[in-house]
Amino acid sequence: MTDTILPKGIGEGCGEKPYFKKIENADLKQSAVSGRNCQFQGCNPFAQTGRSKLQNQRAGVNQQIIKQMRMRAGAENLLKATNNNKVREMVGLELSYVNSNLQLLMEELEALNSSVDVYQSPQEMSNIPLIPLGLKETKEVDFSVAFKDFILEHYSEDGNDYEDEIADLMDLRQACRTPARSEAGMELLAKYYNTLPLMESRFFTPNRQSGLFFTWYDSFTGVPLCQQNISLEKASVLFNMAALFTQIGTRSNRQTLTGLDQAVTSFQKAAGVLNHLRDTFTHIPSYDLSPAMLAMLSSMMLAQAQECLFERSVLPGIRNHFLSLLRMAQEAAKVSDIYDQVHQSMVQTPIKDNVPLFWSSMCQVKTNHYRSLAHYFLATALLDHQRKNDPSQNLLEEERRLIGKAHLRRAVMSHEEALRVHGLCRHLKKLDVLEEILQASLERSKDKFSANDNKDEFTDYMEAPDIICDAHPELPSNTKVKVKDFFQRLGPLSFFNAKQRWTAPRSLRLVPKDGELGFTLKGEPPVQVVSLNPSCAAAVNGLKEGDYIVAVGDIDCKGMSVSQVIGLLKDVGEEGVDLRVPRPLAPPVGHTKSATYCGLPKTYSMICLAYDQEDKSAKGGKVTKKPSFLSWGLKNRLKSASTLSLPSAEYSSTLPWNKTCTTFPGSSSFNDSSLY
């Protein structure tokens, strides 16, 4: 399957190979020198495909937005710093230009988010378009300097020995910026996401800044967010996984049962990822990652999954049977109700200020369209399936006919409302297939009404009741993806991680005496020295109980078992062998905050940070109750005798004031390998 719709000028016989990223000449030379090959490749960002063009335009708009935001921040700072009226007037004029440019850029980004026709399947000629999510843009991150310094300082090893592992990690992240719209692209994102907890355990500590800044752009506003906290990286990759699922679902061929099944599964998985993102990362200061926005997006994906289920039921054709028509009316009403719920959430503040108008208009159109279909199917069931041979049922059949006509009137009214909303949105007007479907459905309802209309009757019009249905789709189950630890040569992750501090490995000489080592070993990899004879040669040379053996001669044994290490030591001759032994240290107590940059004033980022500070100040302050009059004497007696009940030192570690605080309450390390 190609990456997206092939533009004009590109033949269909090109296949997939030209669309996948190739190693550039500079990277090829560097790889040849280092002797490594790039094993992670995404789509070629320069390929002339519809989706790549759209994504490149989004990246360009994001760069212009951050430029205008910096100019506005500088102008606002200058206004605060000067009292010169002439300067303030000039700066105010410049600030108005910058705000106008920002507004135009926001509208341009909204138009790009409304370009759903690029993501549709080329076989889609008679289906209403679906709404995908665009990928979040990010800047490149160079892990080399920070990781090499950390390996040297924390693990006491030469960081240059891990250049290949660091390069593989950077290749994986770079490929994730342009994933293929297929299962391979999804596997790429899942592999990187499940690598992040391993990377966090190896190199990120709560008491030290990593020196790495992760910058991601808001998918709807283009506002950049920069943090040293790796939780931003995790949440953004999860969002892109959900976005890629929506693009796969939109790309599916909905003219076949297989394509509709793929679309349903993709949208359900996207909803599951968004729900996991909302429940796990609750303190990411970005509009598109806010809980309200994620809840709305998840509901929209479930609505589109329900729409595909409806299309799957009507694909083989609808039988003109009473029960079949009733079932189709229920299914159409379910789709309408779910889209109505999505539309109601879109018009709430602050979602309505960031979601494209095209999205809310499309949901409103689909709400009315599928509601009209539900009334049409129910009216057809009532009008086409009457008992005309039973005279005793004439009164009942006349009532059924009137109710059927009432449902047809509601079907016509809903179709007219859908066309009215369609005409008010300029982006919807570009979708010719949508207008054709709405117009054809309206004409069908009108023809049905005219065929059952009796001009001689003067009966008052009846009001058709609503069609009640159960509109609660289920979320998908979780899936798991296995990943490889790039830095497994550092040792087992349970011991050699960023939180566990070690002394620098000491080198000492081990000379066995009469085949005896003078100590015993225990534990899982790495092995630990226990029961050391203080008079043995190893103890004299500096070996201590509690030391871990990480190397025997030139052999790294951090991942070896006790029997394997003993096998190496038994082969030592009279000349002896050098051992490398470190000791674990107690972790330091303390925590630091990660830096956050967001240049747009009064954004969701600033609001979240303000609320977070208020919550922390409220939690940090002690709230003391005023003692009651009856308990005053008792409290004073307890206070005077408090020296008799001081806590002992052995219980001090369990006291609440000795507990360390995490940097962000909602962004703790997620070590589970589940995809969502």
Side-chain angles (χ1 to χ4, degrees):
M1 183 176 67
T2 56
D3 183 40
T4 187
I5 301 174
L6 293 175
K8 295 181 180 180
I10 300 181
E12 296 182 357
C14 295
E16 289 188 350
K17 294 184 178 179
Y19 294 94
F20 287 91
K21 182 179 178 182
K22 302 297 183 181
I23 303 177
E24 303 295 336
N25 293 333
D27 297 335
L28 188 60
K29 294 178 181 179
Q30 183 178 0
S31 300
V33 173
S34 60
R36 57 175 296 274
N37 294 323
C38 178
Q39 54 179 323
F40 304 106
Q41 297 180 3
C43 292
N44 184 1
F46 302 104
Q48 296 300 312
T49 62
R51 189 180 68 135
S52 62
K53 287 182 179 179
L54 193 63
Q55 204 67 30
N56 289 334
Q57 291 176 7
R58 286 169 57 92
V61 172
N62 289 334
Q63 294 298 325
Q64 296 180 42
I65 288 176
I66 191 174
K67 179 181 178 181
Q68 296 296 326
M69 287 170 56
R70 288 171 177 170
M71 293 176 62
R72 185 168 77 171
E76 290 176 346
N77 292 334
L78 185 57
L79 279 177
K80 296 177 182 179
T82 183
N83 293 324
N84 191 318
N85 292 332
K86 187 175 181 179
V87 174
R88 292 179 65 87
E89 183 179 355
M90 294 177 60
V91 173
L93 181 61
E94 182 66 25
L95 191 59
S96 64
Y97 283 128
V98 172
N99 289 330
S100 299
N101 292 335
L102 271 175
Q103 184 64 30
L104 292 175
L105 290 173
M106 296 292 184
E107 293 178 359
E108 185 177 352
L109 186 60
E110 178 183 354
L112 294 177
N113 287 328
S114 303
S115 302
V116 299
D117 53 332
V118 175
Y119 296 95
Q120 307 302 314
S121 173
Q123 290 83 12
E124 294 295 336
M125 301 300 295
S126 59
N127 292 91
I128 300 179
L130 300 173
I131 300 177
L133 296 179
L135 299 177
K136 285 174 67 71
E137 293 289 337
T138 182
K139 288 185 176 180
E140 294 185 8
V141 178
D142 189 359
F143 298 109
S144 301
V145 177
F147 281 7
K148 288 180 180 179
D149 292 345
F150 191 87
I151 291 174
L152 178 61
E153 176 184 346
H154 188 82
Y155 297 103
S156 301
E157 296 190 31
D158 189 0
N160 294 323
D161 295 339
Y162 293 86
E163 285 186 350
D164 290 346
E165 287 83 352
I166 296 174
D168 288 340
L169 179 62
M170 293 175 62
D171 288 341
L172 177 58
R173 189 183 189 276
Q174 183 67 19
C176 287
R177 297 179 64 184
T178 55
R181 189 165 44 168
S182 61
E183 293 298 330
M186 187 56 60
E187 183 179 355
L188 194 68
L189 289 176
K191 186 175 296 184
Y192 180 61
Y193 173 75
N194 287 278
T195 302
L196 290 177
L198 301 176
M199 185 174 69
E200 181 180 18
S201 300
R202 294 285 191 187
F203 299 103
F204 290 82
T205 61
N207 61 330
R208 167 182 168 171
Q209 297 291 350
S210 63
L212 297 172
F213 287 89
F214 301 99
T215 302
W216 289 85
Y217 294 90
D218 192 288
S219 180
F220 299 105
T221 64
V223 177
L225 178 64
C226 182
Q227 284 189 349
Q228 294 191 65
N229 195 341
I230 199 173
S231 295
L232 174 63
E233 186 85 350
K234 294 180 182 178
S236 300
V237 174
L238 267 182
F239 185 91
N240 278 357
M241 290 173 63
L244 195 59
F245 270 129
T246 64
Q247 294 180 13
I248 293 175
T250 308
R251 178 69 176 177
S252 302
N253 183 9
R254 289 150 62 197
Q255 298 297 323
T256 62
L257 292 176
T258 303
L260 285 169
D261 290 337
Q262 183 185 25
V264 171
T265 303
S266 299
F267 286 121
Q268 284 184 333
K269 288 183 178 180
V273 174
L274 291 170
N275 271 279
H276 173 72
L277 179 56
R278 182 192 60 182
D279 298 337
T280 307
F281 303 95
T282 57
H283 289 74
I284 303 298
S286 180
Y287 278 118
D288 54 355
L289 300 178
S290 63
M293 180 67 76
L294 293 174
M296 184 278 296
L297 293 176
S298 177
S299 300
M300 185 174 70
M301 297 309 128
L302 290 177
Q304 296 190 140
Q306 194 67 44
E307 181 181 6
C308 293
L309 283 175
F310 174 80
E311 293 177 352
R312 190 184 190 282
S313 61
V314 301
L315 185 63
I318 303 174
R319 294 168 50 183
N320 193 7
H321 290 175
F322 185 78
L323 294 179
S324 298
L325 292 171
L326 289 183
R327 184 175 64 86
M328 297 311 305
Q330 284 281 323
E331 293 297 326
K334 182 182 295 186
V335 178
S336 175
D337 287 350
I338 297 177
Y339 269 116
D340 186 47
Q341 295 174 11
V342 175
H343 177 257
Q344 293 302 323
S345 62
M346 282 186 180
V347 297
Q348 303 295 325
T349 306
I351 297 179
K352 68 176 182 180
D353 299 328
N354 302 288
V355 170
L357 177 62
F358 170 83
W359 287 19
S360 59
S361 300
M362 176 66 86
C363 290
Q364 194 174 2
V365 166
K366 290 187 177 183
T367 299
N368 289 281
H369 172 66
Y370 285 102
R371 181 182 296 138
S372 65
L373 289 182
H375 287 291
Y376 176 81
F377 289 136
L378 184 55
T380 303
L382 293 174
L383 295 174
D384 292 358
H385 300 278
Q386 299 185 21
R387 300 179 183 178
K388 299 181 180 181
N389 298 327
D390 191 355
S392 62
Q393 299 291 332
N394 290 337
L395 183 60
L396 180 59
E397 296 301 328
E398 180 64 20
E399 186 178 357
R400 287 180 59 174
R401 191 177 68 84
L402 294 177
I403 295 175
K405 288 180 60 178
H407 282 289
L408 280 178
R409 278 192 295 271
R410 289 199 62 176
V412 173
M413 293 171 58
S414 297
H415 275 131
E416 291 176 346
E417 178 64 16
L419 284 170
R420 186 189 68 83
V421 176
H422 174 270
L424 294 177
C425 182
R426 58 187 179 92
H427 295 294
L428 283 178
K429 291 181 180 179
K430 300 178 182 179
L431 302 177
D432 297 333
V433 62
L434 177 59
E435 184 177 6
E436 293 176 0
I437 292 174
L438 296 178
Q439 195 66 41
S441 300
L442 176 61
E443 295 299 328
R444 182 178 58 186
S445 298
K446 286 183 176 180
D447 294 341
K448 189 72 173 178
F449 184 82
S450 300
N452 292 272
D453 187 22
N454 187 2
K455 298 181 180 180
D456 296 333
E457 64 182 5
F458 297 94
T459 308
D460 293 337
Y461 287 148
M462 297 180 59
E463 185 66 25
D466 294 330
I467 301 175
I468 302 175
C469 63
D470 182 16
H472 299 286
E474 297 181 358
L475 292 176
S477 58
N478 296 346
T479 59
K480 295 184 179 181
V481 176
K482 293 183 179 180
V483 294
K484 173 187 176 183
D485 184 7
F486 287 104
F487 301 93
Q488 58 184 353
R489 289 198 295 124
L490 289 173
L493 185 60
S494 57
F495 286 88
F496 299 95
N497 52 61
K499 294 182 180 179
Q500 178 63 57
R501 299 174 64 241
W502 296 81
T503 62
R506 310 186 313 275
S507 296
L508 53 92
R509 193 71 177 177
L510 173 64
V511 180
K513 185 177 181 181
D514 298 331
E516 296 293 334
L517 300 175
F519 58 86
T520 58
L521 302 176
K522 74 168 187 177
E524 298 295 329
V527 296
Q528 188 179 20
V529 176
V530 294
S531 303
L532 177 65
N533 185 359
S535 61
C536 68
V540 173
N541 291 334
L543 187 65
K544 301 178 182 179
E545 288 189 4
D547 287 342
Y548 285 83
I549 299 179
V550 297
V552 177
D554 296 332
I555 301 176
D556 189 312
C557 59
K558 289 192 289 289
M560 292 185 179
S561 62
V562 174
S563 58
Q564 291 175 323
V565 175
I566 291 178
L568 293 176
L569 296 177
K570 285 184 177 180
D571 296 336
V572 177
E574 297 180 355
E575 68 279 2
V577 68
D578 290 331
L579 300 182
R580 288 177 59 82
V581 290
R583 291 181 65 86
L585 297 176
V589 180
H591 66 278
T592 57
K593 287 186 176 181
S594 68
T596 303
Y597 165 73
C598 188
L600 186 62
K602 296 182 180 180
T603 59
Y604 178 77
S605 173
M606 309 303 289
I607 294 173
C608 280
L609 293 179
Y611 285 162
D612 192 39
Q613 292 174 1
E614 290 177 4
D615 293 340
K616 289 181 180 179
S617 62
K619 294 178 182 177
K622 295 183 178 180
V623 180
T624 58
K625 287 186 177 181
K626 293 184 178 180
S628 64
F629 178 77
L630 295 177
S631 63
W632 182 79
L634 177 62
K635 288 182 179 289
N636 279 333
R637 286 197 302 271
L638 292 176
K639 182 177 181 181
S640 62
S642 62
T643 55
L644 300 177
S645 59
L646 290 175
S648 60
E650 58 182 335
Y651 297 106
S652 62
S653 61
T654 62
L655 296 177
W657 51 78
N658 286 331
K659 293 181 180 179
T660 57
C661 300
T662 56
T663 304
F664 287 94
S667 57
S668 59
S669 174
F670 179 69
N671 292 325
D672 190 9
S673 63
S674 61
L675 190 86
Y676 52 82

